[in-house]
Amino acid sequence: MNNTEYKQAMQTLNLWSKHYYVLDDPITTDEVYDKLYHEVVEYEESNPNELDKNSPTQRVGDMISEGFTKEPHLSRMWSLEDIFDKEGLDKWLTKTYKLDSNISFYCEPKYDGASLNLIYENGVLVKGVTRGDGTIGELITRNVKTIKSIPLTIEHKETIEIRGEIVIFKDEFERINKRRLHEGEAVFANPRNAAAGSLRQLDSSVTAKRNLVFLPYGVGIDTLKYKYLSDKMEYIYSLGFRKPPQRAVTQGYDEIEEIYKVMNRDRDSYDMMLDGMVVKVNEIAAQIDMGYTVKVPRFSVAYKFPAVEKITTVKEIILQVGRTGAVTPVAIVEPTNIDGVVVERATLHNFDEIERKDIRLGDKVIILRSGDVIPKIIKVLTHERSGSEVKVIKPTKCPVCESELLQEVVLLKCQNLECDARVVNSIMYFASKPCLNIDGLGVKIVEALFKSGLVKSVVDLFDLDLEKLLELEGFKEKKSQNLLNSLKNAKAQDYWRFINALGIEHVGEVASKTLAENFGFSFVTATKEQIIECEGIGEEMAESVLKFVRVNAETITKLQTILEPLEPVKREEAKENPFKGKTVVLTGTMSESRGVIKEMIETLGAKVSGSISKKTDFLIYGEDAGSKYDKAEKLGVKTLTEGEMRELI
Ligand code: IVH
């Protein structure tokens, strides 16, 4: 890097951080930002005389936007030095041990959200302040008070600043985006932007609706006299704050590496997004001794996880026709390795989304792959366009059967029930795991069976025999016999699987179970009123069931005769007990699997529900109970530990 490039890099970094911190709309990935940032750091280290005061390295952190009152923190909010690999950890440890060799480390997740400072005086929450530049933030007390995991009062009378991260849980993020998509609004790029944007709303009723969660990670000014950070944090949790999903006190390199691996391995299973693990010296006296550089504490470091967001290029947009006829665009992208998996395609939801984001062929985009969800395009880097990008034209005809497409709300749909793609996909769906779970009916085989004319609908699957199969190209004896065996195994399965496999629009696994439990075989004759009475089933679903049954009565009967599904046995009436007729919610880790506990409680005549409401009678909780526990407390729902439940039984 020369001086011109240095100046250029600074401008770029400042633009990127404005988009990140002020506009909540990042235009690059953390990874790319970090790389350039480190190049700037290196340049400044070797050319200290050329250091520019506008350099992002001289800035403490987030910027402040208009709209809120500025508020100084009682003590400075620091940021963290990042490390990315074993060598980084090794270097940091060597440096830290030089300052003090007699130390241990507190490790906890690095949450990917927005930082927040809470000021409590006389046990009352008086201020909530965003991080801002680390010294002065924005006063957002009204918004903060809508967040349920932030206690409004605590059993601690001296003035204290409690610091932590505001996050949005992944399921809540999906829910918000789904609704926004449905309502034709722009979706949030990732949970972090959604959290930051929701926190800094001028209208706090918007914040309240977003189900934000606060996770404490430290304190600012305090009068606490703990020797260890781990004990101090334990005290903070005991005041009514959430615990991290994983934490550990470790001794040195190997143990830190070990817990880092565990957290990285398990990160998908946590409710919130993590972008790394924070390592902090556990001895508070040593922390004070070590102190701070201009920007960061010497006693702490952020050990980042492999990136889940990458920049790539859109090569092509292909169209997929699903079993319901919905035509969804899929982007074929330049293959990109994301945390060990080569990503080549990304979903685009629907055409409105393409138009809104103005995605063009040849565009540079940010893709996100997290957990086992399909990678998605979260951002188009329009500022990187060369002018040669090509607009995507919304199709008017089904790419498979060429029949006219109709716009149904946000979805573009092929109306032809016999469209090859619809038929093939409904057969695939019929055989999928949450339906009849028929092994060996992959897309290639289903297509071959369909093209040969042997299988035109799911019913035809059961007319297949060895002779017919052996005539097909690529079907040898073994493959054919395996398929026939799998088809045999599709028989005598639980009835809810049968209902689910029918592919009734809007009716998924949960609704299928409800229908099976409530009506058994007679679900085909249930009236709309009866169906709506079932919990979790609304008008739209009920109408869809009725319409399906009306149109497909013959097929349902035929399939039922072939498959002989098992009608659920009605439970015997339970004897009198404290749970009979009650609604129970389970949360946390228990001594046995959730399924076993659920079964046990259902036999007692209770209904086990997935979410807490005023109607819930009991919340039974195990280890690491999370938001459900908080909600139960708020609503005054009686809570029982697993042990207490067993005693009652
Ligand atoms: S400690 C004294 N711990 O990461 C050091 N920060 O990159 C202050 N963050 O601004 C930060 N999880 O918003 C700390 N467990 C954690 C964290 C955490 C997320 C955020 C925080 C901070 C940023 C620094």
Side-chain angles (χ1 to χ4, degrees), residues 12 14 46 72 93 97 142 160 506 530 552-553:
T12 309
N14 283 333
S46 34
L93 276 177
Y97 276 132
R142 266 169 64 88
I160 187 167
H506 308 300
Q530 286 172 323
N552 299 290

Side-chain angles (χ1 to χ4, degrees), residues 101-114:
S101 57
N102 201 10
I103 47 174
S104 56
F105 303 91
Y106 185 64
C107 300
E108 64 178 357
K110 182 168 184 334
Y111 309 112
D112 203 5

Side-chain angles (χ1 to χ4, degrees), residues 78-80 108-111 115 131 165 217 278 280 297 299:
W78 297 88
S79 96
L80 290 171
E108 64 178 357
K110 182 168 184 334
Y111 309 112
S115 41
R131 179 164 179 281
E165 198 83 348
Y217 57 64
V278 183
K280 299 171 180 173
F299 53 82

Side-chain angles (χ1 to χ4, degrees), residues 21 62 76-82 108-116 131 163-165 215-219 275-278 280 292 296-297 299-300 302 304:
Y21 290 118
D62 320 15
R76 182 163 155 189
M77 285 183 87
W78 297 88
S79 96
L80 290 171
E81 178 190 336
D82 289 332
E108 64 178 357
K110 182 168 184 334
Y111 309 112
D112 203 5
S115 41
L116 178 65
R131 179 164 179 281
R163 270 125 193 221
E165 198 83 348
L215 293 144
Y217 57 64
V219 293
D275 60 345
M277 180 179 90
V278 183
K280 299 171 180 173
Y292 301 82
V296 296
F299 53 82
S300 183
K304 300 290 279 283

